[in-house]
Amino acid sequence: MLERIEGLENIKTIGHSSFGGSTFAASGIKEINLSSLTDISGSSHFRNSKVEIVHSLGSITKLAGNTNDNNGQFFGCTELKKVVLPDGLTLIGHCCFRYSDYLLQTQ
């Protein structure tokens, strides 16, 4: 099983359910680094995935979608232990970490 995907640090934008859902959850990916990320759109970007560590979310200023309905970015990430949040983050959307019970550390 894969545990890490190389090259994600070059991604600038992610959309709806980019890393969410059963296919990604079954992949076994445990670590993600999105250090060049500048924008997100849609919702549920990591919903129900088995990711454990998010090393970087780049320079995004909001961890929410474009509308009030587009939220829940880490909803149901039951294995999530650490997320490094950007210094300039000003908004965390509705249900962003809901049911991510094992989240132990944020920076």
Side-chain angles (χ1 to χ4, degrees):
M1 245 194 237
L2 284 173
E3 289 194 10
R4 186 179 190 138
I5 300 174
E6 298 296 328
L8 291 178
E9 62 275 359
N10 299 318
I11 301 294
K12 301 227 182 275
T13 303
I14 60 173
H16 182 75
S17 295
S18 298
F19 302 100
S22 59
T23 302
F24 190 79
S27 72
I29 300 299
K30 297 186 182 301
E31 295 183 37
I32 291 181
N33 179 2
L34 294 165
S35 58
S36 294
L37 194 65
T38 58
D39 188 40
I40 61 173
S41 63
S43 63
S44 306
H45 299 99
F46 297 90
R47 187 178 186 121
N48 297 323
S49 76
K50 299 299 181 197
V51 68
E52 294 178 6
I53 300 171
V54 180
H55 294 284
S56 176
L57 288 170
S59 60
I60 61 171
T61 58
K62 62 179 184 162
L63 195 48
N66 298 332
T67 70
N68 289 336
D69 295 330
N70 291 335
N71 293 295
Q73 280 65 25
F74 291 94
F75 185 99
C77 293
T78 58
E79 306 298 319
L80 190 61
K81 295 177 180 154
K82 180 178 179 180
V83 178
V84 178
L85 299 172
D87 289 338
L89 191 68
T90 60
L91 174 67
I92 294 178
H94 180 73
C95 295
C96 186
F97 295 101
R98 188 171 190 153
Y99 304 120
S100 298
D101 300 336
Y102 294 103
L103 185 60
L104 302 175
Q105 178 181 346
T106 60
Q107 294 182 351

